[in-house]
Amino acid sequence: MLEATQTIDCKLLCLKENTVAWNIHADVYILNSDGSLKDTCLHAVVAALLNTTLPAVEVKDDETCLRPDSKGLALGIKKYPIALTMGSFKGSLLTDITQREESLGGGITVVYDSTSKLVNIQKEGGTPFTEEALRKCADHAKSRAKSIKQEIEKGVGSKEKKGSLF
């Protein structure tokens, strides 16, 4: 999803062309889950990336040195993915579904980017969705993506004031 939305400008990660570049990994540890796990993990990684500053470095010959006296480089993220997993039960659309509800009806995950562009729709097994139900899911996800975006940005903004997202 991060690649599909071009969340990170890969040119920013290059320190010396064809030689040295930053490589970013995100490890997410699940302590407990009761549904919408993909959404939660994706939003956690997005919040972390929005908060990431790469240290200032200097590349000379084949050596890369940290420059602690210089300000680092923010990733400059302009857009990022926002996911919403939903389910259907007797014709009703369910949001924030539990793991059990996901396993019974096969959840559908709709992903928009932070500029409200549809990125992906993924349906995993279970009950098939009609075209009308898919449109309803996409419309609902688009409206919810706006509030999720606000919550992510509010959380990242509060980190600057308090020193932590949590």
Side-chain angles (χ1 to χ4, degrees):
M1 288 303 137
L2 297 173
E3 286 182 38
T5 56
Q6 299 172 337
T7 300
I8 299 171
D9 180 0
C10 292
K11 292 176 186 166
L12 270 176
L13 301 178
C14 183
L15 299 172
K16 185 176 180 183
E17 194 172 343
N18 298 322
T19 308
V20 181
W22 286 106
N23 189 356
I24 298 175
H25 292 271
D27 293 325
V28 179
Y29 294 93
I30 312 306
L31 302 177
N32 191 2
S33 171
D34 192 23
S36 301
L37 187 59
K38 288 184 285 190
D39 306 3
T40 304
C41 292
L42 179 64
H43 299 154
V45 169
V46 164
L49 291 172
L50 286 167
N51 235 355
T52 298
T53 301
L54 300 172
V57 295
E58 186 175 354
V59 180
K60 287 185 181 176
D61 302 321
D62 289 337
E63 217 172 277
T64 305
C65 302
L66 286 176
R67 299 198 50 212
D69 57 324
S70 298
K71 189 175 178 182
L73 175 69
L75 292 178
I77 293 172
K78 304 224 182 327
K79 62 181 178 174
Y80 49 85
I82 301 169
L84 181 65
T85 299
M86 295 163 275
S88 178
F89 182 72
K90 294 185 179 180
S92 295
L93 185 63
L94 306 174
T95 58
D96 195 24
I97 59 177
T98 65
Q99 191 171 7
R100 179 158 168 72
E101 291 166 336
E102 247 179 280
S103 68
L104 290 173
I108 183 168
T109 302
V110 180
V111 182
Y112 278 88
D113 72 16
S114 54
T115 65
S116 299
K117 179 182 171 200
L118 180 63
V119 176
N120 192 338
I121 298 177
Q122 183 177 4
K123 171 78 173 86
E124 296 180 11
T127 310
F129 276 59
T130 64
E131 187 176 332
E132 181 184 334
L134 283 173
R135 288 182 204 280
K136 197 174 182 181
C137 287
D139 290 344
H140 183 69
K142 187 174 187 175
S143 68
R144 281 288 306 270
K146 292 173 186 172
S147 63
I148 293 169
K149 176 184 176 187
Q150 289 174 342
E151 289 300 315
I152 289 171
E153 291 177 355
K154 186 170 92 177
V156 171
S158 69
K159 188 265 179 200
E160 294 166 4
K161 296 174 194 153
K162 298 178 186 171
S164 172
L165 278 173
F166 306 104

